[in-house]
Amino acid sequence: MNRSPNNKPPLRRLASPAAVLGLALAACGGTVPPPNDQLASSQAAIRAADEMGAGSDPQATLHLKLAREQLEKAKQQMQAEDNDSATRLLQRAEADAELALALAKARSTQAEAQEALKQVEKMKQTGVK
């Protein structure tokens, strides 16, 4: 074995940079912090969809239900300190709630348009121009 002048073995490359980074993160407690902001954002999106009447449209109801389920699973993940999974679930919950909101808005806008068309027809029949 080749020895350096001070009788120590030569240095060898021990690990890849990714492995060193992984060890450094683990040593520093590289855990993902609780996604409290994402939790609040997801809850707000669900409330907004509820307030817009997403429960009265079948498609919106489905997405709102999915959002609620994902929110509950995320809370469980947060309790288990699996914050990375919780963050992903909360992002999906927010996206589903926003889709439910958009569908509810579209239904509402369509109903308003139908009502406006009825008013125009009524005005035409009565001779109002």
Side-chain angles (χ1 to χ4, degrees), residues 30-123:
T31 59
V32 177
N36 295 321
D37 290 343
Q38 185 64 53
L39 175 64
S41 183
S42 299
Q43 288 171 326
I46 290 170
R47 268 192 311 277
D50 267 333
E51 290 171 5
M52 189 62 188
S56 62
D57 179 79
Q59 281 186 310
T61 300
L62 172 64
H63 289 285
L64 192 54
K65 179 178 184 269
L66 290 172
R68 285 190 178 114
E69 289 172 358
Q70 291 160 357
L71 177 70
E72 289 308 311
K73 287 178 187 175
K75 287 178 181 178
Q76 292 169 0
Q77 293 297 322
M78 288 173 72
Q79 288 177 344
E81 295 183 11
D82 186 358
N83 295 327
D84 193 38
S85 293
T87 299
R88 285 191 302 274
L89 283 165
L90 290 168
Q91 289 168 340
R92 288 175 48 197
E94 184 175 0
D96 275 323
E98 288 175 352
L99 179 55
L101 176 62
L103 290 168
K105 283 182 178 179
R107 179 196 44 77
S108 176
T109 302
Q110 187 175 22
E112 289 172 8
Q114 288 293 96
E115 185 59 34
L117 286 173
K118 286 180 187 176
Q119 294 295 327
V120 168
E121 277 301 312
K122 190 183 247 186
M123 292 170 96

